[in-house]
Amino acid sequence: MTTSTTTTITSVFIILLLLSTDATTTTLDSDVSALKAIKAAIDPTTIPSYSCLASWNFTSDPCSYHHVDHFLCGLSCSGNRVTQLTFDRAGYVGTLSPLVSKLTQLITIDISDNKFSGPIPTSLFSLPNLQTLNLRSNSFSGTIPSDISNLKSIQALDISHNSLSGSLPNTLSSLPLTRLDLSFNNLTGPIPKLPKNLLELAIKSNSLSGFLPKPSFNDLTQLEVVELSDNSLTGTIPGWFLLQQSLQQVNLANNGFTGIEISKPINSNLIAVDIGYNKIVGYLPVNFSAYPVLSSLSLRYNQLHGPIPPVFSQKATLKRLFLDGNYLSGLPPKEFFSKKSSVSGSLGDNCLKNCPISSQLCLKSQKPSSICQQAYGGKGKQKS
């Protein structure tokens, strides 16, 4: 037998061995049991025939690469282990089985936009490799347990648009999260110390209360986006808050803030700030104009008095300005109404004089003079 013949036979043998191995490799039994339990916890009448879960037929091997009719979607594998659960938006009704914790190689869970309910099983938080957990737009209830700190690999956590209640656990700070979204729940209490690697924080439309505590935001050197609107936060927005070095977008609208401290930044990436619909008193903070790339600013519907500083109309980066619904007085800066101005927004519902109705900024009318006189101590003339 020649050397070339021997080489060919060896190559064919190796290929056949690999094919045989692939054909006989089966998903780990504990993974199969977990998948069966996950499907069994869902009301079968809510599993449409066209959906991913309808194709989960356990007469076939879930991790086989030769599927034609079964396990067409909803999971991914690496070798004989399940690494992703990614359900389609089919309207599945049920609970999330605690046996999901048996899928110990899971990297991603995304069952968003369905109708899962009940508490989030605490066993889920024991998954050692989980990086993404997306439970958005379901009906999960109960509290966020302190056991969440066991998610040692978690990068992105989205449990927004559910029915979670209670306060945020103090153990959040130990998570390696870069993105956290708990918006549109029923969460209460103060903001605890936050994970130091956060890039994006969203806890909009809850009932969070208290001040903006500096210890909670310490060491968040990468934080770019803060969305805390529609809560019950109070007190003064402190000067350090908008000075956070990586901050780009801030939304604190619809809270109960009564004051604001704005310091001049040394260097800032802040682009957009919304602090509308609060109870902030005092004068319009002139130091906002010192933020070098600020493009959008809303302080609408607060209780600000006094004139609009001319520097706001001279700021080239400012494209959107909403100051309506305050008690601002005097003449609005004329630069707002020049042909060179590209600022949109509103200066209406204030106590301004001669705000030209030909300008989009002045389409909303000013307050009646009687209200303005009352706001300025009953004097016949407001400050200009």
Side-chain angles (χ1 to χ4, degrees), residues 183-203:
S183 301
F184 296 96
N185 280 285
N186 302 309
L187 299 169
T188 57
I191 300 171
K193 187 170 177 60
L194 296 166
K196 66 179 182 179
N197 294 331
L198 275 183
L199 299 173
E200 298 178 10
L201 170 68
I203 320 180

Side-chain angles (χ1 to χ4, degrees), residues 258-312:
T258 53
I260 184 168
E261 299 170 352
I262 302 297
S263 304
K264 285 187 177 182
I266 298 174
N267 186 25
S268 173
N269 296 308
L270 196 61
I271 297 171
V273 177
D274 189 346
I275 314 177
Y277 297 93
N278 279 280
K279 302 174 182 178
I280 296 171
V281 299
Y283 295 100
L284 182 59
V286 69
N287 283 340
F288 269 123
S289 64
Y291 282 78
V293 293
L294 186 65
S295 174
S296 177
L297 175 63
S298 174
L299 285 160
R300 67 196 319 184
Y301 291 93
N302 280 282
Q303 298 173 27
L304 297 172
H305 288 61
I308 300 173
V311 289
F312 283 93

Side-chain angles (χ1 to χ4, degrees), residues 5-311:
T5 303
T6 303
T7 302
T8 301
I9 293 173
T10 302
S11 299
V12 170
F13 176 76
I14 291 172
I15 291 171
L16 290 172
L17 181 62
L18 288 172
L19 290 172
S20 174
T21 300
D22 178 71
T24 58
T25 296
T26 57
T27 306
L28 197 71
D29 287 344
S30 57
D31 280 21
V32 176
S33 297
L35 293 174
K36 288 180 177 178
I38 289 168
K39 184 174 181 180
I42 297 170
D43 182 348
T45 64
T46 66
I47 302 178
S49 59
Y50 57 81
S51 68
C52 289
L53 286 184
S55 73
W56 284 23
N57 185 321
F58 291 94
T59 60
S60 296
D61 184 75
C63 287
S64 171
Y65 289 102
H66 304 296
H67 291 310
V68 176
D69 299 315
H70 301 160
F71 294 100
L72 300 179
C73 54
L75 61 82
S76 298
C77 298
S78 177
N80 67 341
R81 300 302 308 274
V82 178
T83 55
Q84 295 189 46
L85 285 181
T86 50
F87 289 1
D88 48 342
R89 300 172 180 179
Y92 302 125
V93 175
T95 59
L96 182 57
S97 171
L99 291 182
V100 68
S101 63
K102 300 299 182 183
L103 301 173
T104 57
Q105 295 302 307
L106 275 179
I107 297 172
T108 300
I109 296 177
D110 185 346
I111 58 172
S112 59
D113 296 284
N114 280 288
K115 297 178 181 179
F116 287 91
S117 60
I120 301 169
T122 54
S123 61
L124 182 152
F125 301 129
S126 66
L127 290 169
N129 301 298
L130 194 65
Q131 297 178 17
T132 300
L133 176 58
N134 188 352
L135 307 179
R136 174 186 175 92
S137 294
N138 281 283
S139 298
F140 287 107
S141 57
T143 61
I144 301 174
S146 58
D147 292 353
I148 195 171
S149 62
N150 293 327
L151 290 173
K152 302 299 184 183
S153 302
I154 195 73
Q155 297 288 314
L157 176 62
D158 188 344
I159 322 180
S160 61
H161 296 268
N162 279 279
S163 299
L164 300 177
S165 57
S167 57
L168 297 171
N170 291 323
T171 53
L172 268 182
S173 61
S174 65
L175 296 174
L177 281 170
T178 58
R179 289 172 174 80
L180 173 63
D181 194 344
L182 300 173
S183 301
F184 296 96
N185 280 285
N186 302 309
L187 299 169
T188 57
I191 300 171
K193 187 170 177 60
L194 296 166
K196 66 179 182 179
N197 294 331
L198 275 183
L199 299 173
E200 298 178 10
L201 170 68
I203 320 180
K204 176 181 181 177
S205 293
N206 282 278
S207 297
L208 299 180
S209 58
F211 303 150
L212 290 174
K214 195 171 193 304
S216 298
F217 290 86
N218 274 351
D219 306 320
L220 271 66
T221 58
Q222 303 175 77
L223 187 62
E224 297 176 353
V225 178
V226 174
E227 171 57 271
L228 293 173
S229 63
D230 298 285
N231 279 286
S232 300
L233 299 170
T234 55
T236 296
I237 299 171
W240 58 263
F241 188 79
L242 294 181
L243 293 178
Q244 296 178 84
Q245 64 187 56
S246 297
L247 212 53
Q248 296 180 20
Q249 300 176 46
V250 173
N251 192 345
L252 300 175
N254 286 290
N255 278 283
F257 293 111
T258 53
I260 184 168
E261 299 170 352
I262 302 297
S263 304
K264 285 187 177 182
I266 298 174
N267 186 25
S268 173
N269 296 308
L270 196 61
I271 297 171
V273 177
D274 189 346
I275 314 177
Y277 297 93
N278 279 280
K279 302 174 182 178
I280 296 171
V281 299
Y283 295 100
L284 182 59
V286 69
N287 283 340
F288 269 123
S289 64
Y291 282 78
V293 293
L294 186 65
S295 174
S296 177
L297 175 63
S298 174
L299 285 160
R300 67 196 319 184
Y301 291 93
N302 280 282
Q303 298 173 27
L304 297 172
H305 288 61
I308 300 173
V311 289

